[in-house]
Amino acid sequence: MRARSVISEAGRNLACGTSKPLLFALLVAVLSGVLAVADVSAIARVDAAAVRFQAAAASMRGIAAERRIDAASCDALARLSTIAASGALSTGEVLRLDAAPMTQFHTYRVSPGFGSLLGVGGATTDGVWVEAELAAALGLQAGMTVPTERGDLTVAALYRWPNDGRDARLGFSILIPESASEPFDECWMSSWPVLPSNDDLLLSTAYVIPGSNAALQVVPLNKNLGRDYDANAEFTSRVTSEARWFALLAGVALAVVAVSRRRMEYAAALHAGQDRTSQLLTVLLETLVWAGAGALTGTVTCLLAARLSGVTDWYTTWLVTVRCPVLAFIGALLGSAGAILCIKERLLFRYFRNR
Amino acid sequence: MVADEVSETAIQSACSVVGAGLSHSFPGTATLFLDLDFVLLPSQITGVCGPSGCGKSTLLSILAGWETPKTGTVKRDGVRHVGWVFQNPHGVAARTALDHVVFPLLAAGLLRAEAEPEAMRIMSLFALGEIAQRPFSALSGGEAQRLMLARAVAAKPDLLLVDEPTAQLDVTTAATVNSVLGSIAASGAIVVIATHDQGTRTVCDQVIDLGLPQARVKGARLTR
């Protein structure tokens, strides 16, 4: 059979509905789309949990070693690709404001890099950083000057430190940025995802003191959200992580049904002299059209679902979940090829008797 | 044996089918036929007759090479293409009658523009020219049966097996089909027809009567 005839026969089978292209395209679209949307939904849940985890400072980890932290090294951790922010911290002396002389406020000395941990990385270090609730209680705003027992202090920035299980010391406090040249007591870092290998980097910021055998321990700054939270494990073990293989099987199954319902026609075509290759190509062309249309619809559905799901990175989510329609398409082609190769001319009589 | 007696003729022909000592039964059923000997030659029409369930279709299946006889052999010399037209016509519902006859010609390598006039010529032999553009699903039983014959003819078989070709046809159309079957045989094909129809039986050059006690070949010694 010539190539033009193969294309012509496939086109006629599609045009007159012999292949049931609309039905099978719809089934591919629905099955692969449902699986893809379910996967988007599962990823969105993992993403939301990760966002909550990070928002609660649970992705921050720290070490404490009194006057043993090299603040410059600690700040420099943030330059590594696996660490988002880092900075050093020491407890400062209490502070009294002229406006509230009877109240003592906790202060902390922080390295310049510490601001990136609080979301005030761009703020000037020429002044103090005031916790937002404290600022609201005192009527302070960024840029204001506050008279204190130590003289006037400029509010360089406000930072949020909600009471959600994280280390509570920075709540209702004032941070005083200082040069990183002096030793500090603690080094904090924030990384996403949380990688155990970063702990060693954190430990490397502490000076080694000969004779000191006190083991340093890296601890999460929000103990309420669990020390063992593993976002990567949550992602890979999500209930729909194998959805793409179900999509592949669905594609294969639909193609097998599509070919099987026409097995007598195919056997009769072989009996009429059609060669195997022409028959395979005709079936693959028809499958290409209906499975392609279905997979394309599933792909667009998946794209919309990813865009509307509110995930942090919709494009990556789409790339992960679009494997469902893509594999359904590949499955349909494989299923068609496998099923058509199982059709035998010699079974025509049996098909005829069993129809 | 009959087969031995005419084997020389068979060897000299372009193609032949020689059955020797054929017997068959399906597991758990009685013997369908026993010890059949026959020779099928080009330009001959052979009738396979007998009551329902006597194994006519099974014998056709054995002749086609799709079923292995329980005993005996079928030797097909020079038979490259076998065509089988079933008792109940089967086609692709949404495709036109013309498409069905064009298909074997496309499979043989013709382009559609070349195949359509040839298909129309063949269809006109079966009085199907008027319904060429009708979908298969809109054909009557008789039209569909003739269409299947036309399609089989378009495939140019060396051995054409036809199962009850006139069962669904009126007398006039049945006579036309019988005449066309004679023409097909005259063109050099071996034609085997399973039939109950006396009219079809009369156009046969020889008859294998599976209704006889031992299902022996009846009339195998006949020559054209």
Side-chain angles (χ1 to χ4, degrees):
Chain A
M1 200 175 219
R2 297 193 193 183
R4 277 171 62 183
S5 299
V6 167
I7 296 167
S8 162
E9 282 300 294
R12 284 166 188 267
N13 283 334
L14 289 164
C16 71
T18 298
S19 319
K20 302 273 185 221
L22 290 178
L23 172 67
F24 282 102
L26 184 67
L27 289 171
V28 169
V30 169
L31 287 173
S32 67
V34 163
L35 288 166
V37 169
D39 202 20
V40 168
S41 177
I43 290 173
R45 283 195 293 276
V46 173
D47 183 67
V51 167
R52 281 195 302 275
F53 185 81
Q54 292 175 78
S59 62
M60 289 187 195
R61 295 165 77 77
I63 57 168
E66 191 173 352
R67 296 195 60 75
R68 284 178 55 190
I69 298 298
D70 177 357
S73 298
C74 184
D75 279 4
L77 290 179
R79 292 204 288 271
L80 299 172
S81 60
T82 56
I83 296 176
S86 60
L89 171 88
S90 285
T91 305
E93 294 176 1
V94 294
L95 178 71
R96 286 190 175 83
L97 307 185
D98 290 355
M102 301 303 290
T103 308
Q104 293 182 333
F105 297 98
H106 294 291
T107 70
Y108 293 89
R109 297 187 301 114
V110 295
S111 64
F114 203 88
S116 60
L117 288 165
L118 306 173
V120 296
T124 175
T125 55
D126 189 13
V128 296
W129 303 332
V130 182
E131 198 273 323
E133 287 189 24
L134 172 60
L138 296 173
L140 300 178
Q141 291 181 347
M144 291 177 71
T145 301
V146 188
T148 73
E149 61 183 353
R150 299 185 208 165
D152 288 350
L153 293 178
T154 301
V155 179
L158 306 182
Y159 67 91
R160 291 188 69 251
W161 200 256
N163 183 17
D164 53 10
R166 67 181 73 188
D167 188 321
R169 288 177 294 162
L170 300 193
F172 240 64
S173 296
I174 296 170
L175 305 186
I176 304 170
E178 290 184 358
S179 160
S181 58
E182 293 293 313
F184 278 68
D185 297 338
E186 298 178 37
C187 180
W188 293 9
M189 69 168 181
S190 170
S191 65
W192 188 256
V194 177
L195 300 173
S197 58
N198 285 338
D199 288 356
D200 291 337
L201 297 170
L202 195 60
L203 291 168
S204 72
T205 63
Y207 296 121
V208 175
I209 298 175
S212 169
N213 55 4
L216 298 181
Q217 202 171 10
V218 177
V219 293
L221 294 179
N222 189 329
K223 297 184 174 72
N224 282 5
L225 287 182
R227 293 164 178 267
D228 300 326
Y229 178 75
D230 184 344
N232 192 49
E234 294 285 318
F235 176 79
T236 54
S237 65
R238 69 192 187 281
V239 70
T240 54
S241 62
E242 305 300 326
R244 62 190 186 280
W245 302 119
F246 285 103
L248 179 77
L249 287 177
V252 170
L254 286 174
V256 168
V257 170
V259 170
S260 297
R261 58 175 281 278
R262 294 169 66 190
R263 63 187 181 278
M264 196 162 165
E265 173 192 336
Y266 291 130
L270 293 173
H271 188 55
Q274 189 180 33
D275 61 282
R276 276 276 178 205
T277 306
S278 299
Q279 186 168 64
L280 175 65
L281 290 175
T282 309
V283 170
L284 286 179
L285 275 177
E286 292 174 35
T287 307
L288 192 73
V289 171
W290 61 256
L296 189 62
T297 308
T299 298
V300 172
T301 305
C302 177
L303 178 69
L304 289 173
R307 288 301 300 265
L308 298 174
S309 66
V311 292
T312 311
D313 184 351
W314 68 266
Y315 181 66
T316 303
T317 302
W318 179 67
L319 285 182
V320 169
T321 55
V322 80
R323 289 182 292 186
C324 289
V326 169
L327 283 173
F329 174 70
I330 293 170
L333 289 176
L334 292 175
S336 287
I340 199 64
L341 291 176
C342 292
I343 301 286
K344 306 278 187 243
E345 181 192 349
R346 63 184 298 115
L347 297 177
L348 179 59
F349 184 49
R350 187 185 300 171
Y351 297 153
F352 176 76
R353 279 188 304 191
N354 294 339
R355 73 175 177 167
Chain B
M1 294 175 72
V2 176
D4 294 330
E5 289 170 20
V6 293
S7 59
E8 281 187 53
T9 310
I11 291 165
Q12 288 165 13
S13 303
C15 60
S16 65
V17 177
V18 179
L22 286 185
S23 301
H24 197 67
S25 63
F26 291 106
T29 65
T31 300
L32 290 168
F33 44 79
L34 185 66
D35 202 20
L36 285 182
D37 297 309
F38 53 80
V39 176
L40 311 178
L41 297 173
S43 305
Q44 275 190 349
I45 300 179
T46 301
V48 178
C49 301
S52 295
C54 70
K56 296 191 293 295
S57 296
T58 301
L59 179 56
L60 295 190
S61 187
I62 289 170
L63 291 176
W66 296 352
E67 191 87 56
T68 304
K70 195 162 186 182
T71 64
T73 59
V74 175
K75 188 177 177 189
R76 282 176 290 272
D77 283 332
V79 176
R80 289 161 302 167
H81 182 64
V82 179
W84 188 343
V85 180
F86 293 117
Q87 182 175 354
N88 295 316
H90 61 92
V92 184
R95 298 295 298 268
T96 65
L98 179 62
D99 286 343
H100 284 76
V101 186
V102 160
F103 188 84
L105 301 170
L106 297 179
L110 270 64
L111 287 173
R112 194 167 184 94
E114 301 161 340
E116 283 194 354
E118 174 63 7
M120 286 301 294
R121 187 189 68 74
I122 295 168
M123 290 177 79
S124 67
L125 296 175
F126 293 86
L128 292 169
E130 297 289 315
I131 53 100
Q133 296 304 329
R134 268 196 226 161
F136 183 83
S137 57
L139 302 182
S140 69
E143 289 167 340
Q145 184 64 13
R146 281 181 286 147
L147 181 67
M148 292 296 98
L149 281 167
R151 177 179 163 107
V153 168
K156 295 185 175 60
D158 302 302
L159 170 62
L160 178 62
L161 308 170
V162 190
D163 202 352
E164 302 286 1
T166 55
Q168 301 184 53
L169 306 182
D170 57 64
V171 175
T172 308
T173 312
T176 305
V177 167
N178 287 334
S179 169
V180 172
L181 287 171
S183 300
I184 295 167
S187 69
I190 300 170
V191 178
V192 181
I193 307 171
T195 186
H196 283 103
D197 182 4
Q198 192 58 41
T200 303
R201 187 168 177 152
T202 57
V203 303
C204 295
D205 300 297
Q206 61 176 352
V207 171
I208 300 171
D209 194 338
L210 299 182
L212 292 176
Q214 282 197 303
R216 291 284 183 176
V217 176
K218 182 90 173 172
R221 292 168 190 274
L222 291 177
T223 55
R224 293 184 67 85

